[in-house]
C-alpha cells in the first residue's frame, strides 16, 4: 500500500526562489572586524593629535618666546640680569632650558643668591632673583668687599653701603690664631654681624676681631661692646638690646657673658 503523499502530509514544497533569496542576503561584519576598524581609527586620531601638538609646540609661531620679565632686583639692573641670562628669544618656549638660565645667572652675577626661572605661556620667561645682602664689609685698597651671612664674598664696590659694618681684623699672635686661622676668624665676625638685631646693626660701624673669643663692636656715638666669642649670639643680642634701652647714655657694654651683662661710662 502506497504511503501518504506530500500533499497528504501537509508539507509544503519549497519554492524554487526561496533558497536563492536567502543566499543573496549580505553578511554582517563580525565583531572582531568592527573592533579592528575602531582601533585603526583611534590610532589615526592619536597620531594626528600628537603630530599637531608637536608642531604647535616646536614648529608654529604661536608658542615662541617673545619677552623676558625680571623682578627682585635691588642693586642689579634689569639689563644686567637679562644680559647674563642670555634667554634665547625667538626659540620655541617649550625648548627653553630654564635650569641652564639659572646656572648662568648665578655664575655671572655672584650677587644673586637664588633665582627662579619660569615659563609664562604662551610667549614669556620670568626671572625672579633674590640678591645677597651684605652683613659685613672687608676694606682693602680703598674698596669694599661685601660679605653675606653665609660668609660669601660676592661683590667689590668703591663706596661702602650704608649701615653695614666694616671688619677690622687685628689677630694677636696667640694660640687662638694658630688654631683657627684668619679665615675662620673672618667667619666668626660674619656670624656675629649676622646675629645683630637690625637696630643695633644699623648703629654698628666696626666689628673688631682680635682672637676667637675677643670680638668687639664699635657703635655710633663712640660706644663699644665687648662681645667675646660668637657663641650664644642670640642671647648676647637680646642682652645688648636690653642694655641699650636701659642705659642709653652708657659708653661701654659687655655681653660676653650674656647671663651677667654689664654697662659702664654712663
Amino acid at each position: 500500500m502506497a504511503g501518504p503523499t506530500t500533499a497528504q502530509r501537509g508539507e509544503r514544497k519549497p519554492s524554487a526562489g526561496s533558497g536563492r533569496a536567502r543566499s543573496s542576503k549580505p553578511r554582517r561584519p563580525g565583531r572582531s572586524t568592527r573592533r579592528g576598524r575602531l582601533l585603526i581609527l583611534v590610532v589615526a586620531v592619536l597620531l594626528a593629535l600628537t603630530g599637531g601638538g608637536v608642531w604647535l609646540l616646536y614648529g608654529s609661531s604661536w608658542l615662541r618666546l617673545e619677552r623676558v620679565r625680571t623682578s627682585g632686583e635691588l642693586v642689579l639692573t634689569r639689563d644686567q640680569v637679562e644680559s647674563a641670562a642670555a634667554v634665547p628669544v625667538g626659540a620655541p618656549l617649550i625648548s627653553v632650558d630654564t635650569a641652564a638660565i639659572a646656572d648662568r645667572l648665578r655664575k655671572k652675577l655672584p650677587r644673586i643668591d637664588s633665582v627662579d626661572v619660569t615659563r609664562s605661556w604662551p610667549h614669556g620667561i620670568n626671572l625672579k632673583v633674590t640678591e645677597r645682602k651684605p652683613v659685613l664689609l672687608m676694606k682693602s685698597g680703598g674698596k669694599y668687599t661685601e660679605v653675606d651671612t653665609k660668609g660669601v664674598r660676592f661683590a667689590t664696590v668703591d663706596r661702602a653701603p650704608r649701615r653695614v659694618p666694616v671688619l677690622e681684623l687685628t689677630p694677636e699672635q696667640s694660640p687662638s690664631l694658630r688654631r683657627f686661622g684668619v679665615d675662620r676668624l673672618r667667619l666668626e665676625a660674619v656670624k656675629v654681624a649676622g646675629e645683630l638685631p637690625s637696630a643695633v646693626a644699623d648703629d654698628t660701624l666696626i666689628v673688631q676681631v682680635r682672637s676667637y673669643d675677643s670680638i668687639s663692636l664699635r657703635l655710633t656715638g663712640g660706644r663699644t661692646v665687648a662681645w667675646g666669642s660668637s657663641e650664644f649670639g642670640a642671647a648676647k643680642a637680646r642682652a645688648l638690646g636690653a642694655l641699650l634701652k636701659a642705659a642709653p647714655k652708657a659708653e661701654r657694654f659687655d655681653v660676653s657673658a650674656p647671663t651677667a651683662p654689664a654697662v659702664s661710662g654712663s
Side-chain angles (χ1 to χ4, degrees):
M1 183 173 178
T5 64
T6 302
Q8 292 173 334
R9 291 197 301 265
E11 296 178 3
R12 297 180 61 185
K13 186 176 181 180
S15 63
S18 61
R20 289 195 299 272
R22 286 194 297 268
S23 63
S24 63
K25 188 176 182 179
R27 298 180 61 186
R28 298 177 64 183
R31 183 175 297 177
S32 61
T33 302
R34 291 197 300 272
R35 287 180 176 175
R37 292 175 179 174
L38 180 60
L39 179 60
I40 292 173
L41 179 61
V42 170
V43 171
V45 171
L46 290 176
L47 289 175
L49 291 174
T50 301
V54 171
W55 175 82
L56 180 65
L57 291 173
Y58 291 93
S60 76
S61 60
W62 296 346
L63 300 177
R64 296 275 169 169
L65 176 56
E66 296 178 358
R67 63 176 181 272
V68 180
R69 292 178 177 173
T70 66
S71 62
E73 311 97 319
L74 297 174
V75 177
L76 296 171
T77 65
R78 175 182 175 181
D79 289 342
Q80 286 176 312
V81 173
E82 291 187 3
S83 176
V87 178
V89 175
L93 186 57
I94 190 65
S95 69
V96 175
D97 190 339
T98 56
I101 293 173
D103 287 341
R104 285 196 294 271
L105 284 170
R106 285 190 292 265
K107 289 178 181 178
K108 294 182 179 180
L109 299 174
R111 184 177 291 278
I112 293 178
D113 185 24
S114 63
V115 57
D116 189 19
V117 183
T118 57
R119 295 180 180 86
S120 178
W121 297 95
H123 301 299
I125 283 287
N126 294 336
L127 309 176
K128 184 179 180 180
V129 302
T130 301
E131 295 186 12
R132 300 180 189 274
K133 295 182 180 179
V135 296
L136 199 64
L137 301 173
M138 296 170 52
K139 186 176 180 180
S140 177
K143 295 183 179 294
Y144 299 87
T145 299
E146 297 177 294
V147 186
D148 70 359
T149 55
K150 301 174 185 176
V152 176
R153 288 174 271 184
F154 60 89
T156 300
V157 294
D158 295 328
R159 298 179 60 183
R162 294 181 57 194
R163 298 178 179 178
V164 181
V166 176
L167 171 64
E168 189 175 284
L169 190 60
T170 56
E172 301 171 346
Q173 297 301 320
S174 64
S176 175
L177 177 60
R178 290 192 296 271
R179 179 182 177 185
F180 297 105
V182 173
D183 289 339
R184 174 62 183 277
L185 295 181
R186 287 196 188 101
L187 290 177
E188 295 302 306
V190 168
K191 186 176 180 181
V192 170
E195 291 183 323
L196 294 176
S198 57
V200 177
D202 290 346
D203 286 343
T204 303
L205 303 176
I206 293 175
V207 177
Q208 186 178 41
V209 181
R210 294 188 179 88
S211 66
Y212 176 82
D213 56 0
S214 181
I215 301 174
S216 60
L217 312 176
R218 294 184 195 171
L219 308 182
T220 57
R223 298 168 295 170
T224 61
V225 180
W227 192 271
S229 70
S230 66
E231 297 177 347
F232 309 110
K236 292 177 180 180
R238 289 193 297 269
L240 179 57
L243 290 179
L244 289 171
K245 290 181 180 180
K249 295 182 180 181
E251 297 177 358
R252 292 179 292 278
F253 304 85
D254 190 338
V255 293
S256 56
T259 56
V263 297
S264 60
S266 56

